[in-house]
Amino acid sequence: MPTVVITGANRGIGLEFTRQFAADGWSVHASCRTPDSAEELNAVEGDVTVYQADITSESDLAAFAGAVSGPVDLLIANAGVMGPKGEGQEFGSLDFEGWDETFRVNTMGPLRTAEAFLPAVEKAKGKIVAITSKMGSIGDSSSGRIIYRSTKCGLNMAMNMVAAACAPKGIAVATLHPGWVRTDMGGPNGLIDTTESVSGLRQVIDGLEPQETAPFLDYAGKTIPW
Ligand SMILES: NC(=O)c1ccc[n+]([C@@H]2O[C@H](COP(=O)([O-])OP(=O)(O)OC[C@H]3O[C@@H](n4cnc5c(N)ncnc54)[C@H](OP(=O)(O)O)[C@@H]3O)[C@@H](O)[C@H]2O)c1
């Protein structure tokens, strides 16, 4: 069966990816920061192996990638944070330390993850997807959150460059928006649940092909402008 690597798998969208791929018989390598307390993740049935990895840590990611033996068909760089709360995200009162940390998680984290797993994905001529946000689209500026938006916008640009580097290796790369999802991050007013989001994202992932420009798609397959 195919192999998938998922970061931030202990809750929310990452946990649902883990459940759905495991239910379909995939070999799932799921990481989180604290496996000992990841009760829901540890309870997922199927071929699931749980690893410790903070995506801001190069050594954690090296150990994670080293422990996953064999080709990886799909890497899902899912882990992310909203960043500083409230006014810390707004112009005039920006929390620059919080921005620094958010950038390390949301922008550099998926890139570190992709670099760590590149040899394994290349072996499978697999796929690399980053879970980004529509809030990283330059045209989508309806509400504030400078920090979250800019880190996802930076992720989109970086993944677009990764697509160009990976297309000649036969690797498909994409930036995917999961919708507004009811998770800890999305809150209770989100428009869809994790089941709908992840089912849609999996269909979108199925259709990905290597190409020089990374598609920026939502969970329904709709293109989002950069
Ligand atoms: N929910 C939405 O409406 C929505 C919309 C657009 C985009 N997204 C994106 O979708 C992805 C998943 O979000 P979600 O809604 O599932 O959020 P969530 O429920 O808050 O889960 C976030 C996950 O990321 C992990 N994480 C955070 N910092 C990490 C780090 N430094 N190293 C490793 N793991 C880390 C968390 O682990 P801990 O439990 O250890 O904190 C958790 O597993 C994120 O990239 C988010 O930006 C979500």
Side-chain angles (χ1 to χ4, degrees):
M1 285 307 278
T3 294
V4 58
V5 167
I6 304 164
T7 62
N10 56 305
R11 58 190 167 101
I13 293 164
L15 179 62
E16 181 63 19
F17 266 123
T18 303
R19 286 187 174 134
Q20 290 197 18
F21 280 114
D24 280 358
W26 284 53
S27 176
V28 184
H29 299 278
S31 73
C32 62
R33 289 194 280 196
T34 50
D36 287 350
S37 57
E39 282 151 27
E40 287 179 285
L41 175 58
N42 289 321
V44 179
E45 294 194 359
D47 182 3
V48 180
T49 312
V50 177
Y51 303 80
Q52 193 281 329
D54 184 318
I55 62 162
T56 65
S57 162
E58 200 150 340
S59 58
D60 280 8
L61 288 168
F64 179 23
V68 175
S69 60
V72 167
D73 299 282
L74 174 61
L75 168 63
I76 303 176
N78 163 74
V81 290
M82 181 54 77
K85 294 203 187 318
E87 289 304 305
Q89 295 246 5
E90 307 311 327
F91 184 58
S93 50
L94 283 165
D95 172 353
F96 287 97
E97 264 182 40
W99 196 344
D100 193 61
E101 176 58 20
T102 309
F103 187 79
R104 289 168 62 80
V105 178
N106 286 355
T107 313
M108 293 167 68
L111 271 288
R112 280 192 206 281
T113 310
E115 281 200 340
F117 281 95
L118 180 60
V121 177
E122 198 172 348
K123 270 191 218 148
K125 292 203 184 309
K127 300 176 182 181
I128 300 175
V129 306
I131 304 302
T132 183
S133 172
K134 185 162 89 71
M135 289 176 76
S137 167
I138 296 278
D140 181 299
S141 53
S142 49
S143 63
R145 305 227 169 126
I146 289 176
I147 292 177
Y148 182 69
R149 287 175 182 281
S150 63
T151 60
K152 291 295 193 182
C153 186
L155 172 62
N156 293 347
M157 172 57 92
M159 292 306 291
N160 198 31
M161 301 292 102
V162 173
C166 286
K169 301 177 197 286
I171 298 171
V173 174
T175 52
L176 302 180
H177 168 62
W180 183 14
V181 192
R182 292 187 290 274
T183 63
D184 291 346
M185 184 187 291
N189 297 327
L191 299 177
I192 55 173
D193 61 16
T194 55
T195 309
E196 185 175 355
S197 171
V198 168
S199 305
L201 288 168
R202 290 180 62 211
Q203 276 188 33
V204 172
I205 291 168
D206 273 350
L208 297 176
E209 298 287 345
Q211 55 184 85
E212 295 277 327
T213 303
F216 182 11
L217 303 167
D218 75 3
Y219 72 103
K222 191 173 142 230
T223 294
I224 299 169
W226 293 115

